[in-house]
Amino acid sequence: MRDDDHIAFDPQTCRQCGGRCCQGSPGVWVDPQRFFAIFFSGEQLSLAALRKRLPELGLVLWEKSGVPVPAPCSVIEGCSFWGKNGCSFTVAERPCQCLALIPDPATLQQEGCACQLPPLFSFAEAQRQWKKYWSISAGK
């Protein structure tokens, strides 16, 4: 999966809506290879090693589904990386879901976020990708 082919990020629309998606919930990294390239120079870590290293990055593993998926910490205001100046991640670092979210101008006319994720960036797809990664990395 190459999520750079699916970047829908629109800074102008995001600025206008004030980051409602970010205020609702953090996005996740769907592609394990991209995640490790961004934060660990491509080094692929075991689950135990990743658990130890995530807190220093301000990240957590969402494990409610039974499949650990890295994500920014979630706070009352939404994503812990969201602030008055927007996202503190560079565009290149942002979770796959954040970049793939298709802006919907209807968001500007209503409460909440009307933007949509393509199926390749759904949480179910993130679970599938990370389950595959963890099954391969467990054998190393």
Side-chain angles (χ1 to χ4, degrees), residues 59-78:
L59 305 176
V60 296
L61 288 170
W62 285 4
E63 300 187 63
K64 295 176 191 170
S65 65
V67 179
V69 177
C73 292
S74 186
V75 294
I76 292 171
E77 299 82 23

Side-chain angles (χ1 to χ4, degrees), residues 21-88:
C21 58
C22 305
Q23 295 166 21
S25 176
V28 301
W29 286 272
V30 176
D31 181 355
Q33 306 310 325
R34 180 174 176 268
F35 174 80
F36 287 112
I38 292 168
F39 294 103
F40 300 103
S41 301
E43 177 187 359
Q44 296 184 1
L45 304 177
S46 68
L47 181 55
L50 187 59
R51 278 187 208 286
K52 290 178 185 173
R53 307 264 313 264
L54 284 182
E56 69 194 46
L57 299 172
L59 305 176
V60 296
L61 288 170
W62 285 4
E63 300 187 63
K64 295 176 191 170
S65 65
V67 179
V69 177
C73 292
S74 186
V75 294
I76 292 171
E77 299 82 23
C79 179
S80 61
F81 286 87
W82 177 255
K84 66 179 183 175
N85 295 321
C87 183
S88 60

Side-chain angles (χ1 to χ4, degrees), residues 13 16 29 31 34 37 49-50 54-55 70 99 110 120 125 133:
T13 302
Q16 288 175 337
W29 286 272
D31 181 355
R34 180 174 176 268
L50 187 59
L54 284 182
L99 294 174
Q110 64 185 40
L120 280 175
E125 180 61 20
Y133 174 81

